[in-house]
Amino acid sequence: MKGKKIVLGITGSIAAYKAAILIRGLIKKGAEVQVVITPAGKEFITPITLSALTSKPVVSEFFAQRDGTWNSHVDLGLWADAMVIAPATASTIGKMANGIADNMLITTYLSMKAPVFVAPAMDLDMFAHPSTQKNLDTLRSYGNHIIEPGEGELASHLVGKGRMEEPEKIVEVLENFFKQQQDLKGKKVMITAGPTYEKIDPVRFIGNYSSGKMGYALAEECANRGAEVTLVSGPVTLKAHHPNIHRVDVESAQQMYEAAKEAFSNTDAAILCAAVADFTPDIVADHKIKREKDNLILHLKPTQDIAASLGKEKKNGQIMVGFALETNDEQQNAQGKLERKNFDFIVLNSLNDKGAGFRVDTNKITIIDKEGATPYPLKNKTEVASDIIDRLVECLKN
Ligand code: C5P
């Protein structure tokens, strides 16, 4: 953070008092902070406090004085290494999403060349409202980083999601961002994610419980670190937010194989995270199968092993990362897959570990390569993605 120039946008939320602690945290790490505050923000924290903490006059009005000078939002946009809007109200988020530039903070945001971080703070119902969520999605699609609010007691005394993330955490997010910022810049990464659906008849399929959360977290992490990502995704309800993620939607193992094969030749790394069906119906019925008999026998044939097939094509310098979800003899099975599929390393998660596996937000992994096994503690899937990508970056360097 040393020497980093941060524009801190403050808006009219009670959490504005925490901006003082945030400024202290940033300055302690060596950053320079310029506050831009909205008129409503000044009702919650005084510019005197803020300018004393930052040693800089606070920017609030378009015009500094009535003497023909004005505050240049364009200069601020060029000056900053990052902009953080904390707290960000529903109103400011809505204006940012729609380009309504009626105050200095929004004009600065629209002129910003540097990455923007947004820490929402509002009542739980305002946060949950579809319009707020839609606006946040829009901001994500512009490449802005949303620092999710926490859950707990709110200023209204209601309990729920909406309280601004703690200042210490926001400092940590920025610190991590600057640390690893662009270590995948110029790299192309292909990721498979989610389940596959294998058609039985026009209304039925064989599927699995994969939600795609791990694969999508990996895609966001790679894109945040500068990579161009091709995300070959089975049917999931998730969205990819970063503009550098090119998503290819597929349904069956065969479609995933074709899409992955096409993308692979042009990539530096491939992460095979999808839960691909191993078998698919031999024949897909043209019409809905009727319940006529006492039993029904489905004949299945094996699908293509995407990882094994790409492993054979792998060129010098290309890195391949696999996943193994095991229920027994975990390490031994994962080791076998590492060799058989020609992975550089494999991420093992065991269904025996609480908090690991399908449809949960956390994961507990062990990374296995030729040298041995490294276990990691239980973490959320975003942090797990960061650990996995740290390892990938190391492999790409060697
Ligand atoms: O053999 P198993 O399915 O457990 O291997 C898991 C690894 O292989 C994962 O990385 C998974 O994405 C990949 N895989 C694949 N194509 C298949 C089956 C698995 O790419 N048909």
Side-chain angles (χ1 to χ4, degrees):
M1 293 284 283
K2 210 165 167 49
K4 293 290 180 207
K5 300 188 182 81
I6 314 281
V7 167
L8 172 62
I10 301 176
T11 71
S13 151
I14 180 62
Y17 79 90
K18 291 190 185 170
I21 307 162
L22 177 57
I23 293 170
R24 293 278 298 147
L26 292 169
I27 286 180
K28 235 194 209 150
K29 296 277 179 189
E32 216 180 309
V33 182
Q34 171 65 61
V35 170
V36 181
I37 193 165
T38 62
K42 285 193 280 187
E43 301 290 334
F44 289 91
I45 186 162
T46 93
I48 304 284
T49 307
L50 299 167
S51 62
L53 288 172
T54 57
S55 313
K56 284 183 200 300
V58 166
V59 174
S60 172
E61 308 300 330
F62 286 117
F63 306 102
Q65 299 136 13
R66 299 253 168 246
D67 62 357
T69 59
W70 68 86
N71 286 316
S72 171
H73 51 90
V74 177
D75 287 351
L76 279 176
L78 294 170
W79 173 82
D81 294 306
M83 180 175 192
V84 191
I85 300 165
T89 57
S91 162
T92 288
I93 289 166
K95 287 183 195 175
M96 288 167 72
N98 293 286
I100 299 170
D102 67 349
N103 65 41
M104 191 62 195
L105 192 151
I106 308 290
T107 49
T108 304
Y109 163 70
L110 292 175
S111 311
M112 192 49 60
K113 295 268 188 212
V116 178
F117 295 79
V118 182
M122 65 198 75
D123 209 43
L124 74 165
D125 294 314
M126 288 178 85
F127 184 71
H129 196 280
S131 68
T132 309
Q133 291 304 316
K134 187 168 145 251
N135 288 331
L136 284 169
D137 276 346
T138 303
L139 294 186
R140 287 190 187 98
S141 75
Y142 297 159
N144 299 156
H145 305 264
I146 309 301
I147 304 175
E148 287 292 322
E151 287 195 33
E153 191 180 350
L154 305 166
S156 59
H157 303 300
L158 295 172
V159 177
K161 189 167 178 176
R163 58 192 281 173
M164 188 179 91
E165 183 54 284
E166 292 306 324
E168 295 76 11
K169 264 274 180 193
I170 298 177
V171 173
E172 214 178 288
V173 168
L174 286 170
E175 226 181 350
N176 286 340
F177 178 78
F178 284 122
K179 214 186 316 176
Q180 36 185 228
Q181 209 178 163
Q182 295 301 316
D183 54 6
L184 281 177
K185 194 152 187 74
K187 299 287 182 205
K188 293 199 170 81
V189 181
M190 195 265 297
I191 299 173
T192 66
T196 64
Y197 285 0
E198 307 303 321
K199 250 187 173 162
I200 298 170
D201 68 17
V203 296
R204 303 182 181 95
F205 62 84
I206 300 171
N208 62 66
Y209 291 126
S210 170
S211 62
K213 282 181 179 168
M214 194 63 246
Y216 275 64
L218 285 163
E220 295 290 339
E221 179 71 16
C222 288
N224 282 337
R225 290 163 78 155
E228 285 287 330
V229 180
T230 302
L231 177 61
V232 181
S233 174
V236 295
T237 53
L238 302 173
K239 285 184 196 153
H241 299 295
H242 200 290
N244 286 358
I245 300 175
H246 167 61
R247 176 171 163 174
V248 183
D249 285 311
V250 297
E251 191 175 285
S252 65
Q254 181 61 26
Q255 289 167 350
M256 187 173 274
Y257 169 69
E258 284 161 18
K261 200 172 152 66
E262 195 184 323
F264 184 64
S265 58
N266 193 25
T267 57
D268 299 286
I271 306 176
L272 287 303
C273 187
V276 189
D278 290 321
F279 292 93
T280 190
D282 211 355
I283 298 164
V284 181
D286 288 338
H287 301 289
K288 188 177 168 192
I289 299 170
K290 297 279 180 306
R291 186 191 178 117
E292 281 163 352
K293 297 177 258 169
D294 286 344
N295 64 358
L296 173 72
I297 294 168
L298 280 177
H299 286 275
L300 305 176
K301 60 181 181 196
T303 55
Q304 278 276 6
D305 189 323
I306 303 167
S309 158
L310 300 186
K312 285 194 191 110
E313 281 177 29
K314 192 169 86 167
K315 290 191 278 289
N316 235 346
Q318 266 183 321
I319 302 294
M320 263 180 67
V321 179
F323 272 73
L325 179 69
E326 302 292 336
T327 54
N328 57 291
D329 301 324
E330 290 96 338
Q331 295 226 1
Q332 210 178 327
N333 285 334
Q335 198 82 45
K337 281 173 199 172
L338 180 78
E339 285 157 30
R340 220 170 36 247
K341 306 197 187 203
N342 199 10
F343 290 135
D344 293 83
F345 66 87
I346 191 159
V347 181
L348 165 68
N349 28 141
S350 164
L351 273 188
N352 297 326
D353 285 323
K354 219 171 163 272
F358 291 129
R359 291 194 290 196
V360 289
D361 289 325
T362 50
N363 203 356
K364 188 173 181 319
I365 59 161
T366 302
I367 291 185
I368 297 174
D369 63 9
K370 276 191 229 105
E371 316 288 305
T374 317
Y376 290 77
L378 184 73
K379 295 184 181 187
N380 72 44
K381 283 184 175 168
T382 310
E383 292 167 328
V384 173
S386 166
D387 289 338
I388 295 169
I389 302 309
D390 282 347
R391 180 63 83 97
L392 173 66
V393 167
E394 246 175 69
C395 288
L396 283 165
K397 268 191 211 146
N398 296 332

